Amino acid sequence: MIDTSPVRVVEAGAPTARMGRSAWGRIAICIVIALPAVALAADRHWRLTGSAPNPVVDLLVFGGAVVAASFLLAWAAEAAQKDISGALAIAILALIAVLPEYAVDLYYAFRSGYDPSYEQFAAANMTGSNRLLLGFGWPLVVVISLLVARRYVRAGTLPPSATKVLQLEQSSRLDIGFLALLAVVAFLIPLMGTIPLWFGFVLLAAFVAYLWRASQAPDDGGDDEEMVGMAGNIASMPQRARRWTIVALFVVAAAVILSSAEPFAEALVASGSALGIDSYFLVQWLAPLATEAPEFIVAALFALRGMGGAAIGTLIASKVNQWSLLVGSLPIAHVLGGGTSGGLPLDGRQVEEFVLTASQTVLGVAIIIALRFHRWSAIALVALFAVQFVVTDTSGRWVLSGVHVVVALVVLWVNRKDVVPTLRAPFRRPVVAGAPAA
C-alpha cells in the first residue's frame, strides 16, 4: 500500500510535478475502505434500518476505516513538513499521527462518565499504545537504521560503529527532557489512584509548553531532505494544489475517524464477549495496533532513507503527546460525560498498568538520555516488552516494573553527565548559532 521508491521534493523555482495515478489510487483505496464504515455509522446513529450490528463485523469494518484514515493522516502530516519545518513539524506530525488513538481513548473516558463499567477501559488503550510504541516501535526503528547504516559503512561514508549505535539528533534533547519529567510525574497517578481534573490541566499545560519550546527550536535544514512514497508525491505538487490536497486529506480522515471511533470502540468491547477473549486485552492491544500502524510505517520510512534520528524523534514526540495531551484529556472527557469533578478513578488493574507503563518510560529515557541508542538496548526493550505477555499476574507485573526502574537507575548512573542537561532542556531557550543560551 505504501510506495517506498524515492521521490525528490521539488524546490522553489523548479518545474512542478503532479501526483501520478498510482498515488491517487492509494488515496482512493483508503476512501473506499472507509466508506462502508461511514455508511454504517450513519445507520447506527439514526437507526435507518433498525438492524442489530454484528460486533465482529463492526470490528472489521470500523477498524479498517480507522486504519485507512490513519494512513491518510500520516501521508498528509509528513507532506505538511514541506511547509512547516524544524522541531515543531516533528511535534505536529507526532500529534496528528496519534489522533485516531486519541479518538478511541477519549470515547471510553467520556462513556465512563455515565457508565462506570467503562472506567476500566478509559486508560487501557493509552497504556497499551504507550508500551507498544516504546517496546516495539523504538527498537524497530533502531534495527532498520542500523541495517541501513551498513550500506554507508561499506561505501566508506560512515564509521563501522554506525552499525552498532544510532546517534540521535541534538534537537531530541528537548523531547527527551519533557519525556523524562512526564515519566517521573506519571508515578503520581498510581499513587493517587485517580487522574484528578486539576492534574489533567497540569498535563495539558505541559503539552502547550512543549509545543511552545518546539516552535522556538532553530531550523536544522530538515526541510531539504527527500520525501519518499506518498508524502513525496504530495509534497512534489505545486504549492496551492499541495496545500489543498493536504487540507482535504485531513478533513476526510478526521470525518472518518470521528464517525468510526465510537462504533469501533464499542465493537472492541462487544467482540471480546462474542469471541471469548478478554475485552480489556482487545482494547489495550488490538486498538493500538490499528491506530498506530501508519505511525510506525512513517517512522520506518524515515529510517529506511537513513534518517534514523528523525524517525526516533517522531516516536519520542508521540510519547510526550501521550503522557501530556492524552492523559491530561482523560479526566476532562470523563467529567464531560457526567463523571464527578474528582476526576477519572482507577481500579487495581489500571494502577498496575500505569506503574508498568511509567517504569518502562523511565527505562526508555535512560537508554536515550546520552543521545545514543545501542542495538543491545533495542534488543533488551523488545525482550522486556515481550515478558509482560507471559507474566500476567499482579506480583509478576510489580517485579517487572521494579526491573525497569533498577535497570534505568544503573543506565542513568552510567550516563549521569547527561542527566542535568536533559532535565534543563525544557526550561532553556534553544540555542541559536551566534547567540548565548538562556
Side-chain angles (χ1 to χ4, degrees):
M1 188 174 184
I2 299 289
D3 180 11
T4 58
S5 57
V7 179
R8 182 173 294 277
V9 176
V10 179
E11 302 297 336
T16 56
R18 294 183 178 180
M19 285 207 302
R21 290 184 178 179
S22 62
W24 286 114
R26 288 174 176 82
I27 294 176
I29 289 173
C30 289
I31 294 175
V32 169
I33 293 174
L35 280 178
V38 175
L40 275 179
D43 180 56
R44 288 167 65 93
H45 283 299
W46 289 291
R47 302 291 191 263
L48 295 180
T49 65
S51 59
N54 182 292
V56 178
V57 173
D58 278 5
L59 182 63
L60 295 175
V61 172
F62 291 107
V66 170
V67 173
S70 299
F71 274 107
L72 296 180
L73 277 180
W75 293 335
E78 189 184 358
Q81 292 183 87
K82 175 66 177 177
D83 300 297
I84 308 174
S85 61
L88 181 60
I90 294 294
I92 293 176
L93 169 60
L95 170 62
I96 293 173
V98 296
L99 283 179
E101 173 199 341
Y102 284 28
V104 174
D105 226 0
L106 292 180
Y107 167 74
Y108 286 128
F110 181 85
R111 175 71 181 266
S112 70
Y114 61 89
D115 186 350
S117 66
Y118 274 71
E119 290 178 354
Q120 61 175 319
F121 303 123
N125 189 27
M126 177 270 164
T127 54
S129 61
N130 199 302
R131 298 208 297 271
L132 179 68
L133 189 65
L134 195 154
F136 177 75
W138 286 19
L140 173 67
V141 166
V142 172
V143 170
I144 293 176
S145 299
L146 296 182
L147 290 176
V148 170
R150 292 184 177 182
R151 205 168 56 229
Y152 297 96
V153 170
R154 287 194 294 265
T157 57
L158 285 177
S161 61
T163 62
K164 299 179 180 180
V165 180
L166 173 63
Q167 189 70 37
L168 276 66
E169 298 174 357
Q170 189 63 37
S171 59
S172 296
R173 181 78 71 186
L174 174 67
D175 291 4
I176 299 171
F178 269 101
L179 184 58
L181 295 173
L182 289 168
V184 174
V185 171
F187 282 100
L188 294 176
I189 295 175
L191 289 176
M192 293 184 292
T194 183
I195 309 179
L197 190 60
W198 65 265
F199 192 74
F201 285 114
V202 170
L203 292 177
L204 292 183
F207 174 73
V208 172
Y210 167 63
L211 283 186
W212 175 56
R213 281 303 191 191
S215 68
Q216 294 180 318
D219 188 2
D220 59 1
D223 54 329
D224 294 330
E225 298 286 351
E226 288 187 354
M227 291 186 181
V228 297
M230 281 296 299
N233 276 284
I234 297 171
S236 67
M237 299 173 70
Q239 185 183 80
R240 182 184 295 272
R242 177 179 69 245
R243 291 180 175 176
W244 276 109
T245 300
I246 291 173
V247 170
L249 290 177
F250 280 151
V251 171
V252 171
V256 172
I257 289 170
L258 288 176
S259 62
S260 301
E262 176 184 348
F264 177 55
E266 291 287 356
L268 281 168
V269 176
S271 294
S273 301
L275 298 174
I277 302 174
D278 183 9
S279 296
Y280 189 97
F281 181 86
L282 289 182
V283 170
Q284 187 173 37
W285 297 113
L286 183 58
L289 283 175
T291 57
E292 295 205 13
E295 183 181 4
F296 287 161
I297 291 177
V298 169
L301 288 176
F302 275 133
L304 282 170
R305 58 187 175 186
M307 298 173 61
I312 280 291
T314 300
L315 298 184
I316 295 173
S318 294
K319 289 278 289 185
V320 175
N321 290 339
Q322 288 177 337
W323 275 120
S324 56
L325 180 61
L326 178 55
V327 177
S329 300
L330 292 179
I332 298 175
H334 177 74
V335 171
L336 291 176
T340 64
S341 58
L344 177 65
L346 303 176
D347 59 18
R349 187 172 187 176
Q350 293 283 7
V351 168
E352 171 189 316
E353 293 291 341
F354 263 101
V355 171
L356 185 58
T357 306
S359 65
Q360 186 207 42
T361 303
V362 170
L363 176 59
V365 168
I367 287 174
I368 61 175
I369 200 168
L371 300 182
R372 295 188 303 272
F373 208 137
H374 198 282
R375 64 183 179 183
W376 288 111
S377 298
I379 295 173
L381 278 179
V382 171
L384 288 172
F385 176 68
V387 166
Q388 68 181 301
F389 295 102
V390 180
V391 180
T392 57
D393 60 289
T394 300
S395 59
R397 291 291 183 101
W398 284 105
V399 171
L400 182 57
S401 300
V403 170
H404 286 157
V405 174
V406 170
V407 175
L409 290 175
V410 172
V411 177
L412 286 172
W413 174 255
V414 173
N415 299 316
R416 56 189 177 276
K417 65 181 179 63
D418 296 290
V419 173
V420 173
T422 300
L423 295 179
R424 291 179 61 185
F427 306 101
R428 299 184 62 179
R429 190 184 304 277
V431 178
V432 181

